Amino acid sequence: MNRANDIDRHVGARIRERRIMLGLSQQQMADLIGVTYQQAHKYERGINRISAGRLYEIGQALSVPVNYFFEGLDGDRGGDLNSRQRMCLELARNFAVISNERHQEALSQLARALAAEV
C-alpha cells in the first residue's frame, strides 16, 4: 500500500512539473480537465488517486503521453526537485508568460550565448 502512495505522489509531481513547464496555473489546468481547483491540487499532491481515464485526459491537456507521468519511477530520481530543477521549471514558466516574441527570442539568444561560454 505504501508503494501505491509513493506512485501516486510521483505521478502528481510529474503533473505539477509539466503544468509549470507549460506556464499553467492549477486553476487553468483544472478547467482544462473539468475538475475543481481543489481536485487538481489533490492530484498533484498525490492525495487523491487518478483514474486511468482522468490520467489520459491530463496527458492530453498537458500534451504528453500517459507514460510521461511514470518516467523516473524506478530510477534514482526522487519525488522532490533539487534547486537546479526548480530553477529550470521556474525559468520555463516565466518564459512561457512572456508575450512579446522578440523578448522571447532575445532571452533564447542570451541563453545560447551563455551556454556556449561553458
Side-chain angles (χ1 to χ4, degrees):
M1 175 125 167
N2 191 21
R3 179 73 174 140
N5 291 339
D6 290 343
I7 293 169
D8 293 336
R9 281 191 293 276
H10 177 84
V11 169
R14 294 289 287 167
I15 291 170
R16 177 176 167 74
E17 288 172 24
R18 181 65 181 166
R19 175 182 62 76
I20 291 170
M21 277 189 220
L22 295 175
L24 297 172
S25 69
Q26 277 186 337
Q27 183 63 59
Q28 290 170 318
M29 192 186 89
D31 292 342
L32 285 173
I33 61 172
V35 300
T36 64
Y37 163 84
Q38 292 85 356
Q39 184 63 38
H41 177 76
K42 288 178 180 180
Y43 285 157
E44 287 189 5
R45 301 278 300 157
I47 296 167
N48 285 6
R49 279 232 167 111
I50 305 170
S51 70
R54 179 70 71 201
L55 191 59
Y56 180 80
E57 289 176 0
I58 293 170
Q60 294 290 105
L62 300 178
S63 302
V64 292
V66 171
N67 66 327
Y68 168 86
F69 302 113
F70 299 96
E71 290 175 2
L73 191 59
D74 294 324
D76 297 323
R77 185 173 180 260
D80 294 331
L81 300 176
N82 65 37
S83 62
R84 183 176 176 87
Q85 289 169 321
R86 281 188 223 286
M87 190 179 350
C88 288
L89 288 172
E90 181 75 15
L91 179 62
R93 185 182 72 209
N94 290 333
F95 184 86
V97 174
I98 298 171
S99 59
N100 185 314
E101 288 184 30
R102 288 187 313 163
H103 291 164
Q104 284 183 329
E105 182 57 34
L107 184 57
S108 182
Q109 287 177 8
L110 174 63
R112 277 193 293 275
L114 291 172
E117 289 181 6
V118 177

